[in-house]
């Protein structure tokens, strides 16, 4: 069964990325600050895309859509 | 009844989290949190939907109807659902044009799948006419 922890994970990821981004921007490292955004987006996609693939697979199997 | 409460709580929490995240540096995640919540909700409901479809299949067998019609209807429902889901996500991201195009593609696919049933209906009408 899929649990709801992914939502809390994504929220925590957003908070962490925001903090690191602000920190790096204050330190004058704008390129690293942008890099944190990219890494955060990549982590979120890595977590969400398998779920989306599972949704499509389940829909295909339940609706007998081959 | 006992399964709707966790789902409702999940949806409310996801909405609150999305609004909170939108203010930060990653508004993309404000799009992905409702997406993940929607996927989780539907995955929780999907097994029961499967049971409903099994009952529909049994009724179709008892009524002696062609199995092809039921499977076509199920396929149309699946295409519509996935297109609707995708369109809502696109609309959440303020990509209204993309959402409209996805829905148009779904309409074309539904039309292509429904055409055999329409042809069958027309043929039966023609058989009834003298």
């Amino acid at each position: 069964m899929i649990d709801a922890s992914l939502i809390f994970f994504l929220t925590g990821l957003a908070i962490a990325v925001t903090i690191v981004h602000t920190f790096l921007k204050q330190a004058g490292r704008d390129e690293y600050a942008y890099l944190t955004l990219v890494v955060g987006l990549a982590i979120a996609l890595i977590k969400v895309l398998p779920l989306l693939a599972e949704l499509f697979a389940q829909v295909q199997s339940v609706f007998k859509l081959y | 009844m006992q399964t709707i409460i966790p789902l409702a709580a999940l949806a409310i929490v996801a909405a609150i989290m999305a609004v909170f995240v939108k203010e930060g540096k990653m508004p993309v995640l404000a799009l992905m949190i409702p997406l993940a919540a929607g996927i989780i909700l539907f995955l929780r409901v999907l097994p029961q939907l499967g049971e409903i479809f099994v009952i529909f299949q049994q009724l179709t067998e008892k009524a002696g109807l062609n199995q092809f019609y039921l499977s076509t209807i199920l396929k149309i429902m699946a295409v519509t659902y996935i297109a609707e889901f995708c369109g809502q996500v696109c609309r959440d991201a303020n990509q209204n044009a993309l959402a409209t195009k996805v829905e148009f593609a779904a309409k074309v696919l539904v039309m292509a799948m429904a055409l055999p049933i329409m042809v069958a209906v027309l043929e039966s009408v023609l058989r009834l006419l003298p």
Side-chain angles (χ1 to χ4, degrees), chain B residues 2-23:
Chain B
Q2 58 270 55
T3 50
I4 187 66
I5 291 169
L7 299 184
L10 176 69
I12 292 171
V13 167
I16 293 168
M17 297 284 186
V19 172
F20 173 67
V21 163
K22 209 174 213 168
E23 307 298 321

Side-chain angles (χ1 to χ4, degrees), chain A residues 11-22:
Chain A
T11 313
L13 180 70
I15 295 169
V17 165
T18 305
I19 290 170
V20 172
H21 182 269
T22 314

Side-chain angles (χ1 to χ4, degrees), chain A residues 1-8 10-11 13-15 17-18 21-22 25 36-37 40-41 44-45 48 51-52 54-56 58-59 62-66, chain B residues 10 13-14 17 20-21 24-26 28-29 32-33 35-37 39-40 42-44 46-47 49-50 53 57 71 74-75 77-79 81-82 85 113:
Chain A
M1 208 66 178
I2 300 101
D3 59 334
S5 63
L6 182 67
I7 290 164
F8 296 105
L10 288 177
T11 313
L13 180 70
I15 295 169
V17 165
T18 305
H21 182 269
T22 314
K25 203 148 203 171
T36 54
L37 293 184
L41 179 63
L45 281 177
V48 170
L51 202 62
L52 193 63
E54 191 184 336
L55 172 76
F56 286 163
Q58 288 274 341
V59 166
V62 167
F63 287 88
K64 299 177 185 61
L65 188 76
Y66 296 121
Chain B
L10 176 69
V13 167
M17 297 284 186
F20 173 67
V21 163
K25 291 285 177 206
M26 282 196 81
V28 187
L29 284 180
M32 284 167 101
I33 287 173
L35 173 67
I39 292 172
I40 292 168
F42 197 69
L43 282 179
R44 291 270 177 92
L46 214 51
L49 201 61
F53 288 160
Q57 206 153 12
S71 75
L74 291 189
K75 279 179 192 167
M77 277 176 69
V79 168
Y81 172 71
I82 287 185
F85 190 85
M113 282 193 290

